[in-house]
Amino acid sequence: MAGGGGSEPNLTPFIDLFSVLICFLLMTAAWLSLEAFPVQIEKAAEGATNTQAVPDDKPKEKKVALSVKLGPTDLRAKEDEAEKIIPHQVDGSIDRMALENVMRTWKQKYPDRKDVVLNTEGNVNYGRMIALYDMLIQMEWSDVGINPN
Amino acid sequence: MSSDGVKGFHGRIVSSPGYHIHPQYDLVHTRHLIEHRRKKKSTFTLNLAPMVDMFSILVIYLIMNFSTEGQVFFVSKDIKIPKASRGQPLKSFPLVSIVKDTVIFDMENPGSQPLFVTEPNDEKVPQLREMLRKVKALQQQITSQEKVTHQLNLQADEGTSVQDVKKVLRVLIDEGWTGINFIVDPASQANK
């Protein structure tokens, strides 16, 4: 500056700008970060009963219905008619190891499958259903459908 | 009293007021100190540099936490969101909440009042059904497509019975809302 030393930047516009920016950011801040499980109910319900999409000239192969039913005392992994009962642990939580074994077996039998239907009995809590849903996704069964009936 | 109006004798004639303390007892240094302080106080200026520093840090922190993704509009104090580790980022959709025996529909409506319905959670829920139809028609008008996947977010307390959640699910499916997103809390690993 021609005036020499002693010149200071005018900080008032900076403060104005920052104040406005802070107000905007505080108003739009995500204080509670949440996530979601997208559930395609209709698709899942269809998946339990429909047949696989195959070319018309080949005989239609029936798709094996894989489902897991959460009850208050046990978990029933159903592969068509074959059912495996996995009792809950002493503290009432799901036996993760046993479920993992079943799901691994299914994965070996049906490597292309990612869909499984989650059924629940009436007296089960929503939180436990979500916990099971989360477990199934962790076990690489990403297309989990919830039976609304 | 004399005739010229001067009171007293010549040694005590009233003179113009000045500094009253006799120099013999004057505390010069103290007087100067007091005057200096008074002058300093009158020319006090706020040092803005630390204030700007503080604002800068605050702005950087808020920008780092800023998200353009829509958040849930309202979380009731009666709802404890279940924990999960494999959720996906939440998007802005109409929100359906199940709070005890009540079902609540909440949706932001740009330019006008938010759309809000609350009623007991039974199989009928006429107000909720009507609102779902209204919003669906609105969305179809905006997108001008017949086959739009109507999505919404659903939140419920982790202690809610699955039956109550399924009641709402059936209503939503009946009304053509098949894209349902269960809201979960990613705060900790849910390995229970």
Side-chain angles (χ1 to χ4, degrees):
Chain A
M1 228 171 169
S7 64
E8 287 182 358
N10 188 5
L11 294 176
T12 313
F14 281 99
I15 291 170
D16 288 352
L17 184 73
F18 279 163
S19 306
V20 171
L21 203 55
I22 284 170
C23 289
F24 168 75
L25 289 167
L26 284 173
M27 285 169 74
T28 57
W31 298 112
L32 186 63
S33 61
L34 295 173
E35 290 181 346
F37 280 142
V39 186
Q40 299 294 335
I41 301 282
E42 207 170 36
K43 189 181 161 192
E46 283 170 5
T49 53
N50 279 7
T51 55
Q52 272 184 336
V54 291
D56 288 336
D57 55 335
K58 291 181 182 175
K60 282 187 178 177
E61 185 188 344
K62 193 179 182 302
K63 189 175 182 179
V64 177
L66 303 174
S67 66
V68 177
K69 189 170 188 178
L70 178 64
T73 55
D74 57 29
L75 189 71
R76 290 159 191 256
K78 234 178 154 183
E79 182 187 355
D80 266 345
E81 298 305 315
E83 189 177 71
K84 185 172 173 56
I85 299 171
I86 304 168
H88 289 333
Q89 289 177 331
V90 180
D91 62 348
S93 61
I94 296 163
D95 190 345
R96 190 188 172 93
M97 295 294 284
L99 178 64
E100 254 177 7
N101 288 336
V102 172
M103 300 316 283
R104 202 179 298 123
T105 313
W106 285 1
K107 203 75 186 170
Q108 284 164 0
K109 281 174 84 173
Y110 315 104
D112 298 333
R113 296 279 297 270
K114 287 188 175 180
D115 60 295
V116 61
V117 177
L118 199 163
N119 295 306
T120 46
E121 286 180 21
N123 46 0
V124 172
N125 288 345
Y126 173 70
R128 300 197 69 185
M129 184 184 83
I130 292 293
L132 177 58
Y133 193 108
D134 193 39
M135 273 184 203
L136 292 169
I137 292 175
Q138 284 176 20
M139 294 168 194
E140 306 303 321
W141 292 83
S142 55
D143 194 5
V144 182
I146 289 180
N147 186 355
N149 300 311
Chain B
M1 185 184 283
S2 61
S3 59
D4 57 358
V6 176
K7 291 177 183 176
F9 59 92
H10 64 92
R12 291 191 60 206
I13 291 173
V14 176
S15 57
S16 60
Y19 192 72
H20 289 202
I21 301 173
H22 195 274
Q24 191 182 348
Y25 307 105
D26 190 8
L27 302 170
V28 180
H29 180 70
T30 309
R31 183 156 50 83
H32 283 210
L33 205 67
I34 290 165
E35 280 175 6
H36 179 70
R37 278 182 186 165
R38 198 167 56 216
K39 278 179 186 171
K40 198 178 172 185
K41 201 175 268 182
S42 64
T43 57
F44 170 77
T45 52
L46 181 70
N47 190 3
L48 294 176
M51 201 171 168
V52 172
D53 290 351
M54 187 196 71
F55 275 177
S56 306
I57 292 165
L58 199 58
V59 164
I60 290 164
Y61 168 77
L62 289 167
I63 286 173
M64 284 175 74
N65 286 298
F66 181 74
S67 165
T68 52
E69 292 291 341
Q71 294 300 311
V72 62
F73 310 130
F74 171 73
V75 178
S76 169
K77 63 180 170 55
D78 296 323
I79 290 180
K80 191 180 174 194
I81 304 284
K83 290 178 171 36
S85 59
R86 291 293 182 98
Q88 293 179 10
L90 189 65
K91 291 178 182 172
S92 274
F93 294 123
L95 176 71
V96 173
S97 311
I98 302 166
V99 183
K100 293 176 182 169
D101 297 329
T102 313
V103 59
I104 300 164
F105 179 93
D106 188 9
M107 180 188 168
E108 279 190 348
N109 194 11
S112 58
Q113 290 288 319
L115 301 170
F116 184 81
V117 161
T118 176
E119 66 181 330
N121 183 14
D122 53 24
E123 294 284 351
K124 295 171 186 172
V125 282
Q127 290 178 57
L128 176 66
R129 284 178 183 273
E130 192 185 331
M131 183 60 79
L132 290 168
R133 278 184 219 125
K134 186 179 168 183
V135 173
K136 192 177 168 186
L138 202 70
Q139 287 187 351
Q140 277 173 347
Q141 276 180 0
I142 293 166
T143 55
S144 69
Q145 289 174 3
E146 280 299 312
K147 289 203 170 184
V148 180
T149 308
H150 299 285
Q151 296 209 42
L152 50 75
N153 294 325
L154 191 145
Q155 66 172 3
D157 184 75
E158 62 181 9
T160 309
S161 166
V162 169
Q163 287 290 37
D164 290 339
V165 177
K166 285 187 174 180
K167 268 186 219 170
V168 177
L169 285 182
R170 285 194 288 271
V171 170
L172 297 174
I173 294 163
D174 275 357
E175 298 301 331
W177 291 79
T178 52
I180 297 163
N181 303 289
F182 289 126
I183 294 175
V184 292
D185 182 4
S188 64
Q189 297 286 315
N191 291 327
K192 289 177 184 176

